[in-house]
Amino acid sequence: EVQLVESGGGLVKPGGSLRLSCAASGFTFSSYSMNWVRQAPGKGLEWVSSISSSSGYIYYADSVKGRFTISRDNAKNSLYLQMNSLRAEDTAVYYCARSVSGSPNFDYWGQGTLVTVSS
Amino acid sequence: EIVMTQSPATLSVSPGERATLSCRASQSVSSNLAWYQQKPGQAPRLLIYGASTRATGIPGRFSGSGSGTEFTLTISSLQSEDFAVYYCQQYNNWPLTFGGGTKVEIK
């Protein structure tokens, strides 16, 4: 069974940093691209970042470019999102999601971790 | 950036009725279009990819159609568990973009 479990969310002050993790199991992690998608409270879905299976291709939304860094450790079956210079508008549930390489739709999602940026 | 526009924002439907949801892209996305269902407090679930291919385990009452800029998700006979918010997403170009969602509510 495919499982994606996010962790690392919490309350952080504007300008602060946070590192999210996503632990994957039930599939060959190193064969899939991975993604972060977020959802602000009461709002729709927003794609944040994607990383290819071997980390050769990385993409970011303009809203986070230069502040967030996606990475993965295939030996640990883990995906990460380093978030720096956080703003109030980054407050959201952050989902980890899997996609087939070359076809970035999201076939499995984690349950999400809430990031709240507030003073 | 490709803008995805969903309509209507809210759709009121009685159980057993047919629901038709629309998604329009600001430029062609070919057939690189997915649909997701999200229930309150839950993560989204992939329903359709490639505009018309049902994802694993998705019931046959869900069907997708369209290509280019106009897409439709049809739920042939609404069940109680189908009342939710539905999102379309294009994956033809970066950045990936979602529509604003259509809430399907009980009439």
Side-chain angles (χ1 to χ4, degrees), chain A residues 35 37 39 43-47 49-50 59-62 95 102-112, chain B residues 1 32 34 36 38 41-46 48-50 56 87 89-91 94-100:
Chain A
N35 312 270
V37 177
Q39 187 169 36
K43 302 297 184 182
L45 301 170
E46 180 188 15
W47 168 76
S49 183
S50 298
Y59 301 92
Y60 296 100
D62 283 348
Y95 295 102
S103 184
N105 58 82
F106 312 119
D107 62 352
Y108 285 93
W109 298 63
Q111 281 305 300
Chain B
E1 170 176 320
N32 295 313
Y36 302 87
Q38 188 179 33
Q42 296 186 15
R45 176 175 70 146
L46 177 66
I48 301 284
Y49 64 93
T56 303
Y87 294 95
Q89 177 233 337
Q90 68 80 21
Y91 52 96
W94 302 92
L96 309 178
T97 48
F98 288 90

Side-chain angles (χ1 to χ4, degrees), chain B:
Chain B
E1 170 176 320
I2 297 176
V3 177
M4 307 300 293
T5 303
Q6 291 187 242
S7 61
T10 304
L11 186 61
S12 297
V13 185
S14 299
E17 288 188 343
R18 180 186 195 92
T20 302
L21 288 66
S22 295
C23 175
R24 173 177 292 177
S26 60
Q27 64 188 76
S28 177
V29 299
S30 187
S31 294
N32 295 313
L33 190 285
W35 289 95
Y36 302 87
Q37 177 194 67
Q38 188 179 33
K39 297 178 182 179
Q42 296 186 15
R45 176 175 70 146
L46 177 66
L47 297 175
I48 301 284
Y49 64 93
S52 61
T53 302
R54 276 190 300 276
T56 303
I58 301 304
R61 63 181 181 273
F62 291 93
S63 63
S65 63
S67 66
T69 61
E70 300 283 345
F71 300 89
T72 300
L73 175 70
T74 302
I75 312 172
S76 59
S77 176
L78 270 158
Q79 306 298 302
S80 57
E81 61 267 31
D82 301 335
F83 292 96
V85 179
Y86 293 83
Y87 294 95
C88 61
Q89 177 233 337
Q90 68 80 21
Y91 52 96
N92 195 65
N93 290 77
W94 302 92
L96 309 178
T97 48
F98 288 90
T102 291
K103 181 179 181 180
V104 178
E105 64 176 26
I106 300 174
K107 187 174 182 180

Side-chain angles (χ1 to χ4, degrees), chain A residues 7 11 25-26 39 41 45 57 62-63 65-67 72 80 84 86-88 91 93 103 110-111 114-116:
Chain A
S7 60
L11 176 63
S25 60
Q39 187 169 36
L45 301 170
Y57 296 94
D62 283 348
S63 58
K65 200 173 294 183
R67 300 187 298 122
R72 64 190 294 161
Y80 307 102
N84 298 330
L86 282 161
R87 306 166 180 168
T91 294
V93 173
S103 184
Q111 281 305 300
L114 176 62
V115 173
T116 303

